[in-house]
Amino acid sequence: MSSAAKQTSLKDRLAELIPAAQSRVKEVRAEHGQKAFGPVLVDQLYGGMRGLPALIWEGSVLDPEEGIRFRGKTIPDIQAELPKAPGGDEPLPEGLFWLLVTGEIPTQDQVTALSKDWAARAEIPAFVEEIIDRCPPTLHPMSQFSLAVTALNHDSAFAAAYAKGINKKEYWGPVFEDSMDLIAKLPNIAGRIYRNVYGRGKLPAVDLNKDYSANLATLLGFGDNATFVELMRLYITIHSDHEGGNVSAHTGKLVGSALSDPFLAFAASLNGLAGPLHGLANQEVLVWLTKMQQSLGPDAEDDHVKEYVWSTLKAGQVVPGYGHAVLRKTDPRYVAQRAFALKHLPDDKLFKLVAQVYKLVPDILLAAGKAKNPWPNVDAHSGALLTHYGLREMQFYTVLFGVSRAFGVAAQLIWDRALGAPLERPKSYSTEAIARMFKDRS
Ligand code: CMX
């Protein structure tokens, strides 16, 4: 690639890529449009649509055994290939966003340009600051987050362009601008919520010369800790995207399909992420581990931990952080966080408990005989890492997941509008309609 080409902005590169991608979709539809994936079972309608092929999602694909690939690349691939901060080991999330949007690995200069662009867009309107400031500290941080992101719709470039009658071929341009604004403003929103709710003082300004994660860490009050900044780089990168069917990703795509702008669409994603079976599981894991520590004391023996896990199951509760609707192996996002812990905090007590639970829970879930996947997911590990660096407020954890998830949802919203994705409108049936339909077919 020539040095001139290396300076191409993300938007320019996207504009270059869109015509070929549109032709590719036409080709694929012409060749395969009438082919079937296989039967749809009534059980899938009742069973949360597990395995039902229903969505196009360009940024990532999830293999049950292998885990996530972002544009074909595994987590170890992106750790090796994406640009890093000077002196850093973890990939910069800026590069991951470039990869999700273009399918290409950006240069260091392109990533630096994105850091600067996002820092320049980071300020949030005064009325959004007021909305956050007026929230009672007892309102869950995720509800505050969703309120603030919804309110950003006030300045949506897409909503304004649509009101003026923009040609549908041009939708992707203002959706791109809104997506960039959305991602850029999340650290200020997250930082403000954190400081308000937990009395952590005034919010500093975003530094135009720092990368996204360094600014996020500073806004939260942990910017002086270089390892925490590295953790944020890893955290934002690996939580960003997990193909399209999970609740937050699918909700964002669904709401975006009504041509709701990216702020409205992503606020809907956040409301889904706030559920305990999805993103809130990272909070639930820490609540569960903390209660276990309180009940068993430090350095609990394996047998006592096992008993505690069984008591959770016998109480009709799930073991948070374990199981997955698609994955059937240990989540590579868990593996990446475990590797970070082994490198930076091998002697941390909570990490040791997380590792002990990892050793014991899968066999218990297998013995209990219900969960299809007894292995840990991403949420089983993240809280222990945050706690180590002093970010101990568990109710805040899902907000960080939300900052990251914006990357994946925004990338798809841009492509949905570039590829002319229509309004989503699947067919639903009542139980009586199904009973009637299959009455004479047995
Ligand atoms: N602990 C106890 N029981 C579990 C379990 C767990 N960790 N995981 C699954 N099961 C149970 C289910 O509740 C279900 O029970 P019922 O038949 O009584 O309803 C049964 O095993 C079969 O479930 P499954 O097909 O294996 O899992 P699903 O696809 O229905 O659900 C998930 C997936 C993630 C909701 C589930 O594994 C779970 O509740 N895990 C704990 C919560 C969690 O960690 N969520 C985070 C997921 C990652 C993320 O999105 O952030």
Side-chain angles (χ1 to χ4, degrees):
M1 201 186 271
S2 73
S3 65
K6 281 181 187 167
Q7 300 307 319
T8 308
S9 76
L10 179 57
K11 194 172 188 183
D12 290 345
R13 185 67 192 126
L14 188 55
E16 288 166 5
L17 292 169
I18 285 173
Q22 289 169 334
S23 305
R24 183 78 185 126
V25 169
K26 275 198 191 126
E27 268 168 40
V28 169
R29 292 190 68 172
E31 199 180 341
H32 305 295
Q34 295 306 306
K35 293 178 185 161
F37 276 88
V40 174
L41 303 180
V42 171
D43 266 349
Q44 287 179 295
L45 277 72
Y46 284 100
M49 297 183 279
R50 291 294 180 284
L52 189 76
L55 299 168
I56 295 294
W57 194 267
E58 305 290 357
S60 63
V61 175
L62 181 58
D63 180 87
E65 303 294 320
E66 185 196 46
I68 195 67
R69 277 184 185 259
F70 305 104
R71 292 282 188 168
K73 294 186 185 295
T74 64
I75 288 176
D77 290 342
I78 59 167
Q79 284 179 306
E81 294 176 41
L82 285 181
K84 300 171 179 65
D89 282 334
E90 300 299 341
L92 287 165
E94 286 86 335
L96 195 270
F97 186 64
W98 187 290
L99 175 69
L100 289 176
V101 172
T102 65
E104 298 167 350
I105 299 285
T107 64
Q108 197 79 41
D109 287 349
Q110 285 169 327
V111 158
T112 305
L114 258 191
S115 300
K116 285 192 187 304
D117 191 348
W118 286 347
R121 293 170 187 254
E123 207 174 309
I124 55 175
F127 85 94
V128 178
E129 292 180 350
E130 272 173 45
I131 288 175
I132 300 171
D133 293 350
R134 278 168 177 251
C135 287
T138 45
L139 182 62
H140 195 281
M142 282 301 282
S143 309
Q144 301 194 28
F145 198 18
S146 162
L147 277 175
V149 171
T150 298
L152 291 178
N153 139 275
H154 184 267
D155 297 327
S156 163
F158 178 76
Y162 192 85
K164 281 196 196 132
I166 185 176
N167 187 311
K168 55 167 75 170
K169 292 196 183 95
E170 291 159 19
Y171 283 172
W172 75 266
V175 165
F176 176 86
E177 294 301 333
D178 281 352
S179 297
M180 294 283 280
D181 282 343
L182 169 72
I183 292 171
K185 292 178 192 311
L186 296 181
N188 255 324
I189 294 177
R192 198 168 191 94
I193 294 169
Y194 184 67
R195 286 172 183 263
N196 279 358
V197 173
Y198 304 111
R200 294 295 187 106
K202 240 173 120 295
L203 203 67
V206 159
D207 185 335
L208 293 172
N209 295 312
K210 278 188 180 162
D211 64 84
Y212 188 79
S213 312
N215 269 318
L216 175 63
T218 303
L219 290 165
L220 294 171
F222 300 89
D224 292 342
N225 187 329
T227 322
F228 183 86
V229 173
E230 279 285 274
L231 174 62
M232 284 298 97
R233 292 173 183 139
L234 176 69
Y235 186 106
I236 303 292
T237 298
I238 64 176
H239 285 77
S240 60
D241 206 32
H242 216 226
E243 74 169 33
N246 65 77
V247 170
S248 53
H250 182 198
T251 308
K253 182 179 171 77
L254 168 68
V255 174
S257 86
L259 297 186
S260 306
D261 62 61
F263 305 108
L264 297 178
F266 187 63
S269 296
L270 287 175
N271 289 339
L273 197 69
L277 295 188
H278 189 21
L280 202 79
N282 59 10
Q283 168 188 312
E284 297 298 287
V285 167
L286 247 280
V287 170
W288 184 73
L289 290 175
T290 308
K291 281 189 188 154
M292 191 194 299
Q293 272 181 328
Q294 279 162 3
S295 157
L296 306 182
D299 307 315
E301 285 173 17
D302 285 357
D303 282 348
H304 294 149
V305 173
K306 280 185 199 169
E307 264 172 46
Y308 193 89
V309 176
W310 275 113
S311 71
T312 301
L313 293 175
K314 283 179 188 151
Q317 293 160 17
V318 295
V319 177
Y322 281 74
H324 199 272
V326 179
L327 280 168
R328 294 296 176 257
K329 285 273 164 67
T330 296
D331 190 338
R333 300 172 298 176
Y334 178 95
V335 175
Q337 293 179 91
R338 182 175 156 78
F340 188 95
L342 286 168
K343 180 170 168 193
H344 296 288
L345 43 124
D347 299 324
D348 180 277
K349 283 249 181 268
L350 192 55
F351 165 56
K352 286 191 167 168
L353 181 59
V354 166
Q356 189 180 15
V357 165
Y358 181 31
K359 190 177 73 179
L360 302 174
V361 163
D363 281 346
I364 297 174
L365 285 176
L366 284 173
K370 268 192 174 182
K372 293 192 188 70
N373 174 31
W375 302 105
N377 61 57
V378 66
D379 299 314
H381 216 304
S382 51
L385 299 178
L386 297 169
T387 303
H388 177 82
Y389 294 101
L391 208 164
R392 294 194 184 86
E393 297 86 356
M394 308 159 197
Q395 287 210 330
F396 187 76
Y397 289 172
T398 313
V399 172
L400 290 179
F401 195 158
V403 171
S404 170
R405 186 44 58 93
F407 286 53
V409 172
Q412 186 58 37
L413 287 173
I414 296 165
W415 274 109
D416 276 347
R417 303 292 78 80
L419 297 173
L423 179 79
E424 276 192 32
R425 186 33 173 114
K427 181 80 189 91
S428 65
Y429 293 86
S430 66
T431 295
E432 279 318 305
I434 289 175
R436 265 198 313 275
M437 192 182 311
F438 295 105
K439 195 165 145 237
D440 303 321
R441 293 205 213 163
S442 49

